[in-house]
Amino acid sequence: MQSLNIWDYSVEFDKSVTANWYEGSEGWGCECDCCQNFLSFVKQKQLPEEITKLLSDFGVLPEKPTYVCNVYRTENLYLCQFNYRVAGRMLNDPHPDDSIQLDWGSFLCGHEIYPYGSPNFPSPSFDLMFFVNLPWVPNR
C-alpha cells in the first residue's frame, strides 16, 4: 500500500491492483450524449492537468471513469460529475458533506452510492469524484 495526501484527504491505496482492474475494464458504457461528450473531452486530452496527474498517480486510466453524470447545464457549459474508483481506503474524511473548491472545479473523495461502472472492483475502495464545467466537444 502507498500513502498519498490529496488536498485535505489522506488515503492508502494499491496502485497495481487499481491499474490491473482498469486495464481489464471495458470503461463507462453509457451512450447518452452527455456521457459521450465527456468521453470525447477525455480522448482529446482536455482534462485539467491536475486531474490527469492525480489519476496517473493512482494507476487510473482517464478514459475509463466508473461514473459520469451531467449535473446541470449553464448557458455554454455542462457541469459534469465524473468518478474513478481506487483500491484502498480513506484515512480521514475532512469534508463529509462538501467538496473542495479548486481553480478548475471541485473535488470530493468518498464513496459513490451508484457504482454502476465498477463491477467486481476489489474491496476496500474509495472514489475520486470530480465536478467540472465542460464545453460541448465538437465533432465527437
Side-chain angles (χ1 to χ4, degrees), residues 25-99:
S25 168
E26 291 182 25
W28 189 247
C30 181
E31 295 293 326
C32 82
D33 284 345
C34 293
C35 288
Q36 291 304 304
N37 185 67
F38 170 75
L39 293 173
S40 292
F41 191 81
V42 172
K43 288 176 188 169
Q44 293 180 18
K45 302 191 183 312
Q46 294 184 40
L47 282 179
E49 189 175 324
E50 281 182 283
I51 294 175
T52 303
K53 183 188 177 324
L54 182 62
L55 296 177
S56 177
D57 290 345
F58 282 108
V60 169
L61 298 174
E63 66 275 10
K64 294 185 175 184
T66 54
Y67 182 74
V68 178
C69 179
N70 180 30
V71 179
Y72 65 82
R73 181 180 178 175
T74 61
E75 191 171 314
N76 297 323
L77 300 172
Y78 294 82
L79 178 61
C80 186
Q81 175 186 351
F82 49 97
N83 301 352
Y84 298 90
R85 187 150 286 182
V86 175
R89 64 189 182 98
M90 294 172 49
L91 301 177
N92 69 344
D93 191 0
H95 305 279
D97 299 319
D98 257 343
S99 58

Side-chain angles (χ1 to χ4, degrees), residues 93-114:
D93 191 0
H95 305 279
D97 299 319
D98 257 343
S99 58
I100 298 171
Q101 300 302 306
L102 301 157
D103 291 342
W104 44 260
S106 60
F107 172 80
L108 183 64
C109 191
H111 298 280
E112 174 59 58
I113 59 173
Y114 300 111

